Amino acid sequence: MTGNIRLAAVGDLLLPVDPNSKISPRNAANIFKDVMSVFEQSDLVLGNLECSLEGGFGTVPTEPRVISNPELMNCIKTAGFDIVALANNHTFDCLLEGFHRTKRQLEELGIRYFGAGDNLDEAAAPAIMEVKGIRLGFIGAVDRSTGPNSFAGSNQYGVAPLVLDRMADQIRHLSSIVDHTIVSLHWGKERFLIPSPEQVQQAHALVDAGASIVLGHHPHVVQGLEMYRGWPIIYSLGNFVASEVYFTDGDKVCWNRTERTGCILIVEMDSKEIISVKQIPTYDSGRHIEIDQTVFGQKFITRVNTMIERGVTPNRYRWEHLRVNTLKPILNYLRWSKLKSLRFRKIRDALVRIFCSAKIK
């Protein structure tokens, strides 16, 4: 006999350690303590596991890499995660050996996974779970623009590529064996508050093919929720765990208030339809994840939802590109905290170089 089930879905689980010290910057036991009550009230908890365990045979050449350790991996089981997406651009940061170690630990913890594999058949294969008599199929894919190290092929390990026609056919096939198909997509531009018009078209096409829920990640900020034909699409769930990400030279990626704001998407469903959808804003303080009780989180979610309601047009997307890639860096550089670090000597030397250059010409 089937009943209603409650799915809790979150965005990026960034769980790196310092590559030089190998020490975790966080207390694994406390990361999720303030959100576990939400997970305990859910029948299934899903996240995007954006990291890899060390493999012992090297890493990808590009940085930053998100390399975790077994202790931090264990904490996602303690938190209550039942299934994770591996379809992202950091799953193979420690190459095939790191991926195999990550898979083995997930299997030992009893956590299901999908979206990556030793070949395309494995990477594209759905994870099928039954909860209270309702059968769910999970598939994941990665857009090429997000820069993963390896895409899966017939004889090549990697993540499943976002190929719309293939995924639509797969969803149609799954519809005959599951009640709902949940699609997890790694796509979009980092820090953009809206998806591209192409992403909107892709999400709609997947729902038209039979997907019940489309979940996005990669931008590291929450993007808006759309109910399309009665089915939820959230273009980015944002960072759920926003740990600092390290470079080997000691530099690191730090996150601002917006990037530390995440979202728990709560979807209640029966075997036929979506009954309700709710967004719970979260905040990563650097110590633990908490339900955001401030005005900021809810206002931000309302803002990005409104942006989706207004419609994503080429002009609006071009403006977002200008805001993120031009205006925001300029304003960031002009902050007093940046300007006050400038010394008279540096300004004088710069003016001298400009004057000498002009004189030579």
Side-chain angles (χ1 to χ4, degrees), residues 105-143:
Q105 182 160 358
L106 291 172
E107 289 164 358
E108 289 168 2
L109 294 171
I111 298 174
R112 300 290 301 276
Y113 55 85
F114 62 95
D118 288 0
N119 51 56
L120 182 57
D121 286 343
E122 182 182 328
I128 296 178
M129 303 178 72
E130 186 169 318
V131 183
K132 293 183 178 178
I134 298 175
R135 286 173 63 80
L136 305 173
F138 297 84
I139 60 173
V142 180
D143 188 80

Side-chain angles (χ1 to χ4, degrees), residues 12-16 26 30-32 35 239-244 255-263 281-292:
D12 300 334
L13 304 174
L14 293 164
L15 298 167
R26 312 185 74 146
N30 293 330
I31 295 175
F32 299 106
V35 294
N239 287 333
F240 188 61
V241 181
S243 297
E244 295 170 338
W255 308 104
N256 64 28
R257 181 65 173 85
T258 300
E259 294 151 3
R260 290 182 175 275
T261 299
C263 169
T282 61
Y283 174 65
D284 184 351
S285 68
R287 296 182 300 277
H288 50 262
I289 318 304
E290 56 195 48
I291 304 302
D292 192 342

Side-chain angles (χ1 to χ4, degrees), residues 233-297:
I233 300 166
I234 187 162
Y235 289 94
S236 174
L237 285 157
N239 287 333
F240 188 61
V241 181
S243 297
E244 295 170 338
V245 179
Y246 299 88
F247 291 83
T248 52
D249 66 0
D251 198 3
K252 56 188 175 182
V253 178
C254 298
W255 308 104
N256 64 28
R257 181 65 173 85
T258 300
E259 294 151 3
R260 290 182 175 275
T261 299
C263 169
I264 305 175
L265 183 71
I266 302 292
V267 182
E268 189 175 352
M269 67 189 93
D270 61 19
S271 62
K272 300 295 183 184
E273 61 184 358
I274 301 298
I275 297 169
S276 66
V277 178
K278 180 182 179 182
Q279 293 169 281
I280 301 175
T282 61
Y283 174 65
D284 184 351
S285 68
R287 296 182 300 277
H288 50 262
I289 318 304
E290 56 195 48
I291 304 302
D292 192 342
Q293 304 291 349
T294 70
V295 176
F296 184 92

Side-chain angles (χ1 to χ4, degrees), residues 291-317:
I291 304 302
D292 192 342
Q293 304 291 349
T294 70
V295 176
F296 184 92
Q298 193 55 60
K299 276 192 171 181
F300 181 70
I301 286 177
T302 300
R303 176 188 173 194
V304 293
N305 287 352
T306 301
M307 293 171 81
I308 293 295
E309 290 171 8
R310 290 174 58 204
V312 177
T313 64
N315 280 341
R316 285 176 179 154
Y317 190 67

